[in-house]
Amino acid sequence: MKISIVMLAYNHERFIAKALESVLMQETEYEYELIVGEDCSSDRTREIIKEYEKKFKGKMVPLYRKKNLGMTKNLLDCLRHCKGEYIAMLEGDDCWIDSQKLQKQIVYLKDHPEYIASTHNWNQVDSQGNFLKRGFEESDIQVYTDQSLNMRLPGQTSTLIVRNIMQDVYKKYRNKIIRYSWIPMDTLAPVILLKYGNIVVFPDVMSEYRYYIEENGTNWSSKYELDAKENYLYFFIIAIGIEKFAKEIGFSMDLSEHKLGLFKSSRAVRGWSKRKKWLWIQGVLMLLLEPHRIRFFKLAWKERERNKR
């Protein structure tokens, strides 16, 4: 049996070696291949990956892009190259910290065919590797089902191992995924996977997710992080998109409470300033964009009356 490990790499010069080393340290009875989608980095990421090719002794399949594809197209192409029965994900700025990670998750999925995928707990660290917080606090195995669909994901990307159903996913959902590529793939993925089965979530901490915000940074947090950018409108549109995507593939998903929270946050700033004006405009646009406006107004009104008591 073979495991395909997909690693997306873009401007990860500072972190890619640690990510690659965390694959090399895996102790598993199963054969694996590492498929690396290097998306035309402007730093030394590509050179570092090339240096590691020999260390992997033929187990690495490097895909050096001639032009930048962007995260979604890079991922879809990497998945098409996967020959393994299972697929594990690891982003180039994250790493695994448990040498038994692959073994534990694969053994469980082999013994429990009712699950389509497994994830686990993780540590959030900064750009220097300093601990920030744990992914979630649950101490028991959890099960993520279609009834769990909300903005809380079953795990961070680098915790995921999924059965290789990618040919079927590609055939059924490729066009939709491309059309909704403006939504982060780690948010869309659980919605798609739940069409095939439930996801088991282990409490074990087996990876590190790197969270950092830098001026002109190319990582997702630097570009979009909610608290730093106060771009509530962006996340409101993301929520609408997820609801629409879920409906298109046969799930009912209501993120009204999440959207209401974003709207309320845009109203929270007191006084009048340039910042307040932008937040006020965001709130107005949220109301205009909300497809279920009347229901949303009723929810907001109930929340307002509840807070008065």
Side-chain angles (χ1 to χ4, degrees):
M1 187 174 62
K2 195 172 193 177
I3 308 166
S4 296
I5 303 165
V6 172
M7 181 180 292
L8 302 184
Y10 178 68
N11 284 357
H12 291 151
E13 176 183 11
R14 292 174 292 170
F15 316 116
I16 192 72
K18 189 170 184 180
L20 292 167
E21 289 289 347
S22 75
V23 175
L24 288 170
M25 79 171 187
Q26 290 300 304
E27 298 170 359
T28 176
E29 65 190 277
Y30 307 113
E31 182 184 354
Y32 70 80
E33 61 176 358
L34 173 63
I35 298 165
V36 184
E38 200 295 304
D39 206 16
C40 291
S41 299
S42 58
D43 59 12
R44 290 191 65 255
T45 299
R46 180 167 296 197
E47 285 79 2
I48 295 170
I49 293 170
K50 286 181 176 180
E51 290 169 6
Y52 269 84
E53 283 188 48
K54 289 182 180 178
K55 288 189 177 183
F56 277 89
K57 299 176 181 177
K59 293 181 179 180
M60 182 191 287
V61 181
L63 303 174
Y64 298 121
R65 309 304 185 187
K66 293 181 179 178
K67 65 177 183 178
N68 183 270
L69 299 180
M71 185 180 294
T72 300
K73 289 185 178 180
N74 189 16
L75 173 61
L76 287 175
D77 186 64
C78 286
L79 292 173
R80 290 181 68 187
H81 284 78
C82 291
K83 297 176 182 176
E85 193 175 331
Y86 295 89
I87 298 174
M89 302 295 301
L90 178 59
E91 302 234 18
D93 56 349
D94 299 330
C95 68
W96 295 332
I97 57 175
D98 188 331
S99 62
Q100 296 291 312
K101 173 207 152 65
L102 292 178
Q103 183 72 14
K104 290 176 184 176
Q105 288 182 266
I106 297 298
V107 167
Y108 193 93
L109 286 174
K110 278 186 67 182
D111 292 342
H112 297 82
E114 68 272 24
Y115 293 111
I116 187 62
S118 70
T119 66
H120 54 76
N121 209 346
W122 69 95
N123 285 337
Q124 184 171 299
V125 300
D126 63 16
S127 60
Q128 305 302 314
N130 300 310
F131 176 82
L132 297 175
K133 64 179 182 180
R134 186 157 292 184
F136 53 82
E137 297 304 321
E138 286 84 352
S139 57
D140 298 317
I141 287 180
Q142 305 293 312
V143 179
Y144 195 87
T145 72
D146 59 354
Q147 301 302 308
S148 311
L149 280 172
N150 53 43
M151 292 303 289
R152 187 189 182 192
L153 303 178
Q156 190 269 335
T157 303
S158 298
T159 70
L160 178 67
I161 293 185
V162 60
R163 300 182 192 280
N164 191 347
I165 51 168
M166 292 309 139
Q167 284 191 348
D168 193 65
V169 169
Y170 200 81
K171 181 172 67 176
K172 290 180 179 177
Y173 303 115
R174 178 185 180 276
N175 291 338
K176 286 186 176 64
I177 292 171
I178 294 296
R179 187 151 45 87
Y180 284 91
S181 61
W182 49 275
I183 297 177
M185 193 60 204
D186 60 349
T187 308
L188 290 183
V191 184
I192 297 170
L193 292 178
L194 289 174
K195 294 294 290 184
Y196 295 87
N198 294 335
I199 302 171
V200 63
V201 185
F202 297 112
D204 312 56
V205 176
M206 295 192 280
S207 66
E208 288 182 344
Y209 162 59
R210 207 173 293 277
Y211 173 85
Y212 56 99
I213 300 172
E214 298 174 331
E215 189 175 353
N216 301 319
T218 58
N219 63 312
W220 194 89
S221 297
S222 294
K223 289 182 176 180
Y224 303 111
E225 207 282 336
L226 180 59
D227 293 332
K229 303 294 182 180
E230 291 190 308
N231 194 349
Y232 302 107
L233 178 62
Y234 168 77
F235 286 88
F236 193 91
I237 294 171
I238 290 289
I240 292 174
I242 295 168
E243 287 177 328
K244 288 184 176 179
F245 179 83
K247 185 177 181 181
E248 286 188 21
I249 68 170
F251 282 133
S252 176
M253 193 171 179
D254 185 358
L255 297 177
S256 297
E257 292 285 351
H258 175 73
K259 290 185 290 185
L260 181 59
L262 294 169
F263 175 75
K264 286 168 61 180
S265 295
S266 75
R267 312 285 87 190
V269 178
R270 300 187 179 278
W272 191 250
S273 63
K274 199 174 198 178
R275 171 174 169 246
K276 173 67 174 178
K277 184 178 179 181
W278 166 232
L279 292 175
W280 183 85
I281 291 172
Q282 286 191 59
V284 171
L285 291 174
M286 288 181 208
L287 296 178
L288 293 175
L289 290 169
E290 170 57 41
H292 307 292
R293 204 168 298 129
I294 294 176
R295 188 176 69 188
F296 189 76
F297 274 126
K298 286 181 178 179
L299 186 65
W301 182 262
K302 284 182 182 178
E303 180 76 13
R304 181 173 178 270
E305 292 300 306
R306 193 160 52 239
N307 291 336
K308 281 183 178 180
R309 294 171 192 163

